[in-house]
Amino acid sequence: MSETPTQMVDLERALSVARQAAARADGIAMSYFQTANLAVERKSDASPVTVADRHCEEAIRETLRQAFPEHAVFGEEYGHEGESRCLWLVDPIDGTRSFIRGLPFWSVQIGLMIDGELMLGVSSAPAFGETAWALSGGAAFVNDRPARVREVARIEEADLSFGNLRSLAGGEGWGVAGQLVARAARSRGYGDFYSYHRLADGGQDAVIESDVNILDIAALTVICREAGARVTDLKGRSIDLATTSILAAGPNLHDQLLSLFHDA
């Protein structure tokens, strides 16, 4: 009989290692942040990348490899390495555009997936002075404080956050987004890690994004889920390696929002 995820890996140790890896990347990233003449290159998909992204991922991979040499790693800058039921998902600087422009809305994202199930997440935003983390089946924390979503009864009472509106505007959900802006108590557009941290700690009520990949949201999915949110894509499907959209909210609000996107 195959081992369960918790039998395969000591998740508390894995979390400790992930936090160490994030702390190393934090220091590297901050040494480049808001410095003059930061060289920017363009990847094949036209997204920006800097030497800071690469150095951060190298440090994270080294830390993970030393602790778990048998595990696989999938990172934003260096791709997929190794074959294992245990897969680390790494975005060394999520929010590179903000990083380049000297804005604090970027973070180091490290998640662990075992047999396709997201088991832990660390989201560290050093320029903001904030780190969030969670283990599957445990509590979620933001800066050592237990985090919990704020459940709201109606869309009209909710504070919503939208991600990249450009992609949403070009898709079938744009009409729903317009309805929600008109109905919700307030709509925001922070982007990247910030909305998810605020959802987890009750400062925001839902996050809607239509242009993501698993490396952007793996860690944040675990954090929000363990804080009490329901997290799916905009069709209600579970988050997996192929996910490109996300809907995260308290269970009651998530049901209401999902029904609108289903009908779109």
Side-chain angles (χ1 to χ4, degrees):
M1 185 171 62
S2 298
E3 293 176 299
T4 66
T6 54
Q7 290 172 328
M8 290 182 64
V9 181
D10 180 341
L11 290 179
E12 291 288 352
R13 176 172 176 253
L15 176 61
S16 177
V17 171
R19 294 190 66 187
Q20 292 171 28
R24 284 189 66 187
D26 286 351
I28 293 168
M30 289 301 290
S31 74
Y32 288 100
F33 185 53
Q34 295 181 335
T35 57
N37 302 316
L38 178 66
V40 180
E41 301 174 18
R42 294 286 169 177
K43 295 189 282 191
S44 59
D45 63 357
S47 62
V49 62
T50 72
V51 65
D53 297 82
R54 295 191 177 109
H55 285 181
C56 286
E57 184 166 326
E58 288 165 359
I60 292 168
R61 283 176 178 265
E62 180 182 52
T63 303
L64 296 176
R65 193 180 302 115
Q66 288 175 351
F68 303 106
E70 71 281 11
H71 290 185
V73 180
F74 177 25
E76 177 73 21
E77 308 309 331
Y78 293 106
H80 195 292
E81 179 183 24
E83 293 297 331
S84 173
R85 291 169 62 190
C86 301
L87 176 63
W88 290 93
L89 300 162
V90 177
D91 194 338
I93 299 180
D94 181 46
T96 298
R97 288 180 175 85
S98 290
F99 184 87
I100 291 167
R101 301 194 69 173
L103 302 174
F105 295 97
W106 55 272
S107 61
V108 176
Q109 297 289 319
I110 303 175
L112 175 61
M113 178 180 278
I114 304 177
D115 292 338
E117 181 180 355
L118 289 166
M119 299 300 294
L120 74 78
V122 174
S123 171
S124 183
F128 219 89
E130 189 166 278
T131 301
W133 69 92
L135 287 176
S136 181
F141 296 86
V142 177
N143 277 3
D144 296 320
R145 300 185 306 272
R148 197 70 186 168
V149 300
R150 182 183 82 111
E151 184 62 273
V152 297
R154 301 163 56 243
I155 292 172
E156 287 74 12
E157 300 170 7
D159 283 9
L160 310 182
S161 179
F162 293 91
N164 185 353
L165 291 177
R166 180 182 180 183
S167 62
L168 197 60
E172 58 189 16
W174 185 235
V176 176
Q179 295 176 42
L180 292 175
V181 169
R183 290 180 59 186
R186 182 166 294 179
S187 297
R188 306 277 194 179
Y190 297 115
D192 300 310
F193 81 92
Y194 189 75
S195 294
Y196 296 91
H197 285 206
R198 300 290 72 81
L199 172 63
D201 71 9
Q204 195 84 30
D205 299 316
V207 183
I208 299 165
E209 294 202 78
S210 58
D211 183 21
V212 297
N213 66 60
I214 189 60
L215 302 181
D216 301 326
I217 59 170
L220 297 165
T221 292
V222 181
I223 292 162
C224 292
R225 186 186 70 201
E226 301 308 319
R230 184 171 297 157
V231 187
T232 67
D233 71 3
L234 290 175
K235 296 295 186 182
R237 297 171 295 208
S238 298
I239 304 300
D240 60 25
L241 292 174
T243 295
T244 58
S245 67
I246 192 165
L247 173 59
N252 182 58
L253 182 60
H254 184 282
D255 287 348
Q256 296 178 57
L257 294 171
L258 184 60
S259 68
L260 295 177
F261 282 101
H262 264 163
D263 294 339

